[in-house]
Amino acid sequence: PDRYGALAAQEILKAGGNAVDAAVATGFALAVTYPEAGNLGGGGFMTLLVAGKPYFLDYRETAPAAARAEMYLGPDGEPIAALSQFGNLAVGTPGTVRGMAMAHKRFGKLPWATVLAPAIGYARDGFRVTPQLIGILDGSRAPFAQGNFEAQFAGLKAGQIFRQPALADTLTRIAKGGDKAFYEGRTAGLIVAQMARGPVKGLITKADLAAYKAVWREPLRA
């Protein structure tokens, strides 16, 4: 979806990496340059064909242990859509980092830190903002106004170099400590602290993060 993800994949392939290395590098790069498509706080699925055999990895977000069936309903029993879309209560226990790590551990070729290097570079040194990204940010301002969106993105213009040092620090911890450095330690503490901020409290705990598991599932065949 953007050139930086493609450039990350190109860099990894030129370094001798395989398709899984390139895919993981792209996923982390997009978390820096194209937050609508890439993320550290979400999850997903990965379908692979390796040596003629299919594999399917499920690393979708999961509900925190304290989640309950009625938590997005109002007193009248009707859904309150915004609660499941914006703010701390909308967040599930994230799966992306563990999923990327599991795919890389099983099928990757290059060292983990090498695969994360392009994303760290984009976050630390910056990347040139595209008009496409500005359009996405402008469309997000109103729904995300209750959070710290403006503090992060206010005044951003196409053509500027955008640096994200806090994200670079998080990615560097992951590069050094693997997925455990996201689900435990300082990063986990920052996620849990965020759950207590704002008008609506979130549910994710350190136990939820530490217990998260991505799962290799049997692929469906047609």
Side-chain angles (χ1 to χ4, degrees), residues 48-108:
L48 307 93
L49 188 69
V50 182
K53 182 178 179 182
Y55 299 86
F56 183 83
L57 180 59
D58 175 357
Y59 55 94
R60 279 304 304 266
E61 309 92 322
T62 58
R68 58 193 189 280
E70 69 277 7
M71 67 184 189
Y72 301 117
L73 303 180
D76 59 359
E78 292 299 313
I80 302 174
L83 289 178
S84 65
Q85 296 171 339
F86 312 110
N88 291 330
L89 200 60
V91 184
T93 307
T96 293
V97 175
R98 182 136 291 156
M100 295 293 106
M102 286 177 61
H104 176 266
K105 183 176 181 180
R106 187 166 186 176
F107 294 115

Side-chain angles (χ1 to χ4, degrees), residues 87-88 91 147-148 188-198 200-202 204:
N88 291 330
V91 184
N148 63 349
L190 291 169
I191 293 171
V192 172
Q194 173 59 35
M195 294 295 101
R197 298 190 184 104
V200 179
K201 308 307 180 188
I204 297 173

Side-chain angles (χ1 to χ4, degrees), residues 75-163:
D76 59 359
E78 292 299 313
I80 302 174
L83 289 178
S84 65
Q85 296 171 339
F86 312 110
N88 291 330
L89 200 60
V91 184
T93 307
T96 293
V97 175
R98 182 136 291 156
M100 295 293 106
M102 286 177 61
H104 176 266
K105 183 176 181 180
R106 187 166 186 176
F107 294 115
K109 180 180 177 184
L110 295 180
W112 175 248
T114 300
V115 174
L116 267 74
I120 294 171
Y122 291 143
R124 182 188 60 238
D125 303 326
F127 65 96
R128 196 167 298 281
V129 176
T130 64
Q132 179 187 26
L133 180 56
I134 293 297
I136 293 169
L137 296 178
D138 286 345
S140 302
R141 281 193 156 87
F144 290 123
Q146 63 177 296
N148 63 349
F149 188 90
E150 290 300 330
Q152 297 291 324
F153 299 113
L156 203 62
K157 294 180 175 61
Q160 286 183 333
I161 298 297
F162 182 40
R163 297 178 177 86

